Amino acid sequence: MARPRNNAQEPPATERIMAAFWHLLEDHAVKDVTISMVAAEAGCNRGTFYYHFSDMDDLMFRCIENELMGDGEDSYAFAIFRLLTKPSSELLMEPAQRQMARKLCLLVSQGGMEIVDSKMKAIIFRMWRDILCDEGQELSFESLLIIEYSVSGLIALFNLVYRMETKGEPLPESVDMEVFQSIARIQLARLASCENVELPEMLMRLKVYDKFLKNKS
């Protein structure tokens, strides 16, 4: 397929198509958004859409990966990963201030929870695998269960905080994180045990990985 012509005065087609998808979600469920709707909203034809994306699933996954996830310091995946390892009220509240929070909650509210959930967990599973496993190894089933359970709860917490903000409901000035911190300590110790890594060694690897992600952003 020939590359579509670009208008120098317009944003690139990929940006317009992604923006069109988010705009359509304001009034339509994920399952009801079609390629024709996206192309019309983006001011392009179906051929241009298919030049950049193979189908609607491809568009959705790239929107999620490019705009919501990633593994840098400004991503939701990073925020959730940090809350799993070192919970704080600032970390819990700060992501709700971001533009990406609106998009994440919009996608979830319009029927995209399963997509967000699976994408988020895949990224965080990869983070933990990089920290805990030797090259070529995979996380144990018990480790996967611990991470799966924790991530699901934190996604729900972020969405709750965002919904409270959008409704104008007051957020607490501070959140007592003692319970979250206690759970995090237990989970870290259990993950280390599941992967046969000494806890001090695991904590050292976490610091190194945390520094790597910050430098990557």
Side-chain angles (χ1 to χ4, degrees):
M1 182 183 296
R3 182 179 182 85
R5 294 180 180 178
N6 287 327
N7 185 332
Q9 296 180 341
E10 290 184 345
T14 50
E15 292 183 16
R16 288 186 284 120
I17 291 170
M18 287 185 178
F21 172 72
W22 290 117
H23 187 260
L24 287 166
L25 282 185
E26 299 281 355
D27 300 308
H28 302 278
V30 170
K31 64 181 179 61
D32 295 329
V33 179
T34 66
I35 291 172
S36 295
M37 291 166 64
V38 171
E41 183 72 27
C44 65
N45 57 40
R46 290 171 62 91
T48 300
F49 179 96
Y50 281 117
Y51 182 84
H52 296 286
F53 303 94
S54 59
D55 52 27
M56 281 300 301
D57 284 343
D58 183 31
L59 171 59
M60 283 190 287
F61 281 124
R62 283 178 52 189
C63 280
I64 294 169
E65 182 125 319
N66 293 353
E67 302 191 43
L68 297 182
M69 301 305 181
D71 55 7
E73 189 178 15
D74 293 330
S75 72
Y76 251 82
F78 179 84
I80 286 183
F81 179 77
R82 287 306 318 273
L83 277 168
L84 288 172
T85 61
K86 192 176 181 182
S88 72
S89 57
E90 292 78 13
L91 274 175
L92 178 60
M93 298 302 181
E94 193 273 336
Q97 311 295 329
R98 300 176 183 159
Q99 173 66 14
M100 71 172 70
R102 189 185 73 81
K103 290 183 175 179
L104 179 71
C105 292
L106 176 63
L107 187 58
V108 169
S109 68
Q110 295 290 35
M113 179 63 194
E114 185 176 347
I115 301 169
V116 171
D117 189 69
S118 62
K119 201 69 173 168
M120 182 79 77
K121 286 172 182 172
I123 292 169
I124 295 176
F125 285 153
R126 186 176 68 236
M127 290 176 166
W128 276 115
R129 186 185 63 207
D130 290 345
I131 291 167
L132 292 172
C133 300
D134 294 332
E135 188 173 352
Q137 292 185 328
E138 297 293 333
L139 292 164
S140 68
F141 180 69
E142 187 172 2
S143 293
L144 293 175
L145 286 179
I146 293 169
I147 299 166
E148 174 107 13
Y149 179 83
S150 303
V151 171
S152 293
L154 288 172
I155 292 174
L157 268 180
F158 276 150
N159 287 333
L160 173 62
V161 170
Y162 179 78
R163 288 198 305 272
M164 289 176 67
E165 276 201 332
T166 55
K167 292 178 181 177
E169 297 176 4
L171 294 173
E173 292 185 5
S174 62
V175 177
D176 184 356
M177 300 298 291
E178 184 176 345
V179 173
F180 293 98
Q181 291 166 352
S182 176
I183 292 171
R185 287 193 292 270
I186 293 170
Q187 289 178 339
L188 289 176
R190 190 60 194 156
L191 284 171
S193 175
C194 290
E195 303 303 329
N196 297 314
V197 177
E198 295 293 330
L199 185 58
E201 168 68 15
M202 176 183 179
L203 296 177
M204 184 192 72
R205 293 184 190 181
L206 278 170
K207 289 182 180 178
V208 172
Y209 196 76
D210 185 62
K211 184 176 180 181
F212 165 74
L213 289 181
K214 289 181 177 178
N215 291 336
K216 183 177 179 180
S217 301

